[in-house]
Each structure stands twice: as C-alpha cells, then as structure tokens.
Amino acid sequence: MTWITLLTTTTRWQAELMQQLLASHDIPTKIIDLGVKSYLGAGTPAALQVRLQDKWTALLLLSPPEDEQET
C-alpha cells in the first residue's frame, strides 16, 4: 500500500483534527511526527498521510469551499 504526504502542519493537533474529518468519511490516514516533542504548548510539526488512491478525495474534503461568484 502506497502512502503519500497530503500536508504538513506546525502542530500535531491540526493533523489530528484533519485525521478525524477524513476518518468520518472512511479515509484511512497516518500522522508522522516531524520533530522533537516540545514542551510549554509550542507543539510539534506533523505530516498527514493518506493512501495514494484516496489523495484527491482527501484534498477535496480538506479544501476550503469555493466562493460563489455574483453575476
């Protein structure tokens, strides 16, 4: 199974929040820590990974909604 990094975050809790959103749509994910665990609430950088076949679905779910254009 091939996993790709979908995005990196400055804090692990951001990756965990996105992981929960994708899990609610049955998309498996992994979180990879990118740094040393920090103290005093500074957070650690993390990467969110998804399976290659789920890449575009995950990107769509995590992307901001498009603004409706007024004509």
Side-chain angles (χ1 to χ4, degrees):
M1 187 178 315
T2 303
W3 293 82
I4 61 164
T5 299
L6 192 62
L7 57 94
T8 57
T9 63
T10 55
T11 58
R12 184 175 172 89
W13 69 264
Q14 290 173 321
E16 289 173 351
L17 180 66
M18 292 177 196
Q19 182 182 42
Q20 289 176 9
L21 174 74
L22 294 174
S24 71
H25 291 278
D26 297 323
I27 297 175
T29 59
K30 293 194 304 187
I31 296 178
I32 308 295
D33 288 321
L34 299 176
V36 178
K37 296 241 184 226
S38 67
Y39 297 95
L40 303 172
T44 57
L48 180 68
Q49 293 187 337
V50 296
R51 295 180 308 177
L52 184 59
Q53 63 263 34
D54 295 324
K55 175 185 175 182
W56 293 110
T57 305
L59 284 172
L60 251 160
L61 289 168
L62 297 177
S63 66
E66 293 183 18
D67 293 335
E68 293 185 36
Q69 296 180 357
E70 296 181 21
T71 49

